[in-house]
Amino acid sequence: MAAIMERADENLLPSVYKEVSEAFSAGPSDLGYLTFIRNFVQGLASPLAGILVITYDRPTVLAMGTMCWALSTAAVGGSRYFRQVAFWRAVNGFGLAIVIPALQSFIADSYMDGVRGAGFGFLNLVGTIGGIGGGVLATVMAGYEFWGVPGWRCAFIIFATLSCIIGFLVFVFVVDPRRTISIDHATGESPDSVRDDLIEKANASSVSVWLESWTTMKSVMKVQTFQIIVLQGLVGSLPWTAMVFFTLWFQLIGFDHNSAAALLSLFAGGCALGTLLGGVVADRMSHLYPHSGRIMCAQFSAFMGIPFSWFLLRIIPQSVSSYHTFAVTLFIMGLTISWCGTAANAPMFAEVVPAKHRTMIYAFDRAFEGSFSSFAAPIVGILSEKIYGYDAKSVDPKTGSLPEALALSRGLFSMMAVPFGLCCLFYTPLYRYFRRDRENARLASLKEAEMI
C-alpha cells in the first residue's frame, strides 16, 4: 500500500502539468524545474535513509517519509504562487528519499536470491497500480471544479489524506524482517524487549552511529558492481525523468483529459507487467547463466528503448486520429523497456553487499541517479523552447497546439534515444565484475555469521 501511494504521488504533478502551467503562467522549462528540484533533493537526501535504519526499524522510517510527502502534497494543492509549489516539491523529494531505499531493502530481505527479481517485479507491479490511479484520477479531475476549487488541487488533497492513513497503518502493523531475525537469535525475549534493546544500543552513542554509517558508506562505494550500475543509471534514468512530459505532449496534440489519461494508463500498465515479466525472466536466466543472465536481460530492455522512442516520437503522425497506434505502441514499449530495475539492478545490489548494508546501497544508488536524472526534465523544456521553438503563449487551453507538440516531441526524443543506448553499453563491464563482487559478499556474510 505504501508503494502504491508513493507511485501515485510521483505521477500527480506531471498529470496536471497543463493546468499548473495555466494557473502559474509556467512554460515547459518552469515545469521541468519542479521535477528537477524534487528529484535533486531526493537524490541528495537518500543516504539519510541508510543512516536512519541503523537507529530505527524500517516501518518507522517508512512512516516518517510517508507523512513528510503527504504534508508536502497537500501544501502543493493549496499553493498560490509558483515559488511555493517549488518549495513543497523539494520537501516532497525529502520524504521520498527516506521511503524508497528503505522499501527496496525491505523487499530484498524478504526474498531469496533465486526469486528476488520476481519480488521486486511484484513490488513495481502494485506500485504502478497506484501510479495509474494517481495519474488517471488527477488528469480526469483536472477538467472539473469542485465547490469552486480547481479539480487538480482537490486531487492533491485527496492523495495527501490517503498517504497519511497509509503511513499510520505501516507504523502500526508492519514488522521489519530484521526484527524477526533478531528474535530468532534471542533466547526467550519478547519482540518489544528485543527492539528496545536494539534501539538502546543504537542510541548509546551518536558517534558510533555516524562511525558505522561512514564505514558502511565506504564499503558500498568500493563495490565495482555498484559503481557500474550507478554509471548506467546516471544516463538510464534520464529518459524516465523526461517522460513526465508525456501527458502535456498528448494534450498539445489535441487529446482531451480522458484520452490522455487512457494513453498514459496503457503505458503504465505495460510498464507494470514489464517489471514483473522482467523480474521473472531474469530469475530464470540467472539459473541458466548465474553470472550473466540478469545482465543480458537488462541490456535487452535498455536497447529496446531506442527503436520505440524513435517510432513513438518521430514516426507516428501527431494527430488525434493516431490514438490506436499510440495506444498499442505505448503498451508494448512499457512491456519491454521496464526490465532493468527488477531484472538486474535491485536483485544484484542485494547480492554484492552483506544484508546489513542493503539499505545503504539502495540509498546511494538513488542519491546518484536521482540527483543526476533531475536535470532531464528542465533540459527537455529548454530544448523545446530555445531550440525547437516551443511557445507557451501559443497553446490553446482547449485544443492544444500541434507546432508546440512537435517541438516538445523533439526535445523528448533528444533525452530518450541516446541515453537508452548509452545505458545498454554501460552494463557491459558487469560481465567481468559481478561474479567476483557477489563471491566477496558471500564470504563476508559467512564470516559475520561465524562471529555471531
Side-chain angles (χ1 to χ4, degrees):
M1 294 172 73
I4 288 173
M5 293 309 303
E6 178 264 320
R7 196 68 62 83
D9 185 85
E10 285 187 351
N11 285 2
L12 277 180
L13 188 63
S15 299
V16 296
Y17 264 173
K18 186 170 179 287
E19 288 69 28
V20 173
S21 175
E22 296 167 2
F24 299 101
S25 300
S29 57
D30 296 318
L31 298 175
Y33 172 73
L34 294 178
T35 298
F36 161 77
I37 192 169
R38 191 203 69 176
N39 289 356
F40 191 71
V41 171
Q42 179 182 338
L44 292 180
S46 288
L48 180 62
I51 297 173
L52 287 174
V53 298
I54 295 175
T55 306
Y56 305 98
D57 60 3
R58 281 173 290 192
T60 302
V61 176
L62 289 171
M64 292 165 55
T66 303
M67 292 297 182
C68 183
W69 96 51
L71 170 66
S72 61
T73 299
V76 169
S79 295
R80 297 180 58 189
Y81 304 102
F82 185 81
R83 289 185 178 179
Q84 291 177 333
V85 177
F87 171 78
W88 288 111
R89 290 297 286 174
V91 176
N92 186 266
F94 183 81
L96 293 175
I98 298 174
V99 169
I100 295 176
L103 191 59
Q104 288 179 314
S105 67
F106 193 101
I107 296 300
D109 287 353
S110 302
Y111 289 87
M112 301 298 290
D113 289 351
V115 294
R116 194 170 280 129
F120 279 103
F122 182 72
L123 174 70
N124 279 272
L125 175 64
V126 298
T128 305
I129 293 173
I132 295 173
V136 170
L137 182 61
T139 304
V140 173
M141 289 182 66
Y144 302 91
E145 285 191 359
F146 302 90
W147 305 286
V149 179
W152 71 270
R153 294 184 182 273
C154 294
F156 274 74
I157 300 300
I158 290 172
F159 277 89
T161 304
L162 291 174
S163 296
C164 286
I165 295 172
I166 299 303
F168 174 76
L169 294 176
V170 167
F171 180 75
V172 173
F173 292 108
V174 175
V175 178
D176 196 322
R178 292 184 311 185
R179 181 175 165 185
T180 305
I181 295 171
S182 298
I183 295 168
D184 291 339
H185 285 292
T187 55
E189 292 188 74
S190 67
D192 289 335
S193 65
V194 172
R195 181 192 61 182
D196 293 341
D197 289 344
L198 291 173
I199 293 176
E200 183 179 352
K201 291 176 182 178
N203 288 330
S205 173
S206 59
V207 175
S208 64
V209 171
W210 287 103
L211 181 61
E212 183 177 353
S213 301
W214 176 248
T215 303
T216 303
M217 291 178 191
K218 290 193 296 182
S219 299
V220 167
M221 296 286 285
K222 291 179 180 179
V223 179
Q224 289 184 296
T225 296
F226 168 77
Q227 297 170 0
I228 295 166
I229 293 180
V230 167
L231 176 62
Q232 68 76 30
L234 293 180
V235 293
S237 56
L238 293 176
W240 294 95
T241 306
M243 290 176 196
V244 298
F245 283 105
F246 272 3
T247 301
L248 175 61
W249 176 51
F250 286 128
Q251 291 173 335
L252 290 173
I253 291 174
F255 292 107
D256 59 22
H257 289 84
N258 293 339
S259 298
L263 289 172
L264 268 296
S265 297
L266 285 169
F267 178 65
C271 290
L273 294 174
T275 55
L276 180 59
L277 175 65
V280 172
V281 170
D283 285 344
R284 298 289 180 87
M285 290 288 289
S286 67
H287 288 296
L288 297 175
Y289 307 100
H291 310 301
S292 60
R294 295 192 183 278
I295 306 168
M296 289 188 285
C297 290
Q299 287 189 305
F300 163 79
S301 183
F303 176 80
M304 293 304 293
I306 302 173
F308 274 112
S309 298
W310 173 72
F311 187 75
L312 177 71
L313 297 166
R314 306 298 295 158
I315 300 300
I316 301 176
Q318 298 191 23
S319 167
V320 291
S321 61
S322 302
Y323 177 86
H324 293 96
T325 308
F326 277 124
V328 174
T329 303
L330 284 168
F331 181 78
I332 301 176
M333 180 179 179
L335 197 65
T336 55
I337 70 171
S338 55
W339 294 17
C340 293
T342 57
N345 299 2
M348 291 169 72
F349 278 151
E351 294 183 44
V352 297
V353 294
K356 67 177 183 178
H357 293 170
R358 283 174 180 165
T359 300
M360 190 66 76
I361 197 171
Y362 290 119
F364 267 89
D365 174 58
R366 296 312 311 153
F368 288 110
E369 290 191 23
S371 57
F372 189 79
S373 67
S374 60
F375 291 94
I379 291 175
V380 169
I382 293 171
L383 289 174
S384 301
E385 291 185 36
K386 304 300 183 182
I387 297 180
Y388 300 119
Y390 185 102
D391 184 5
K393 297 179 181 179
S394 301
V395 178
D396 189 314
K398 295 183 178 180
T399 62
S401 173
L402 186 56
E404 275 57 53
L406 291 170
L408 184 58
S409 68
R410 290 170 182 167
L412 281 167
F413 182 73
S414 300
M415 291 303 297
M416 290 179 64
V418 175
F420 271 129
L422 292 175
C423 174
C424 178
L425 178 65
F426 289 165
Y427 270 112
T428 305
L430 288 175
Y431 289 108
R432 177 179 178 183
Y433 294 109
F434 173 60
R435 179 177 183 176
R436 184 193 65 188
D437 290 339
R438 183 171 61 177
E439 184 64 20
N440 289 340
R442 188 184 68 83
L443 293 175
S445 297
L446 289 175
K447 291 180 180 179
E448 184 177 334
E450 290 175 358
M451 291 176 64
I452 293 175

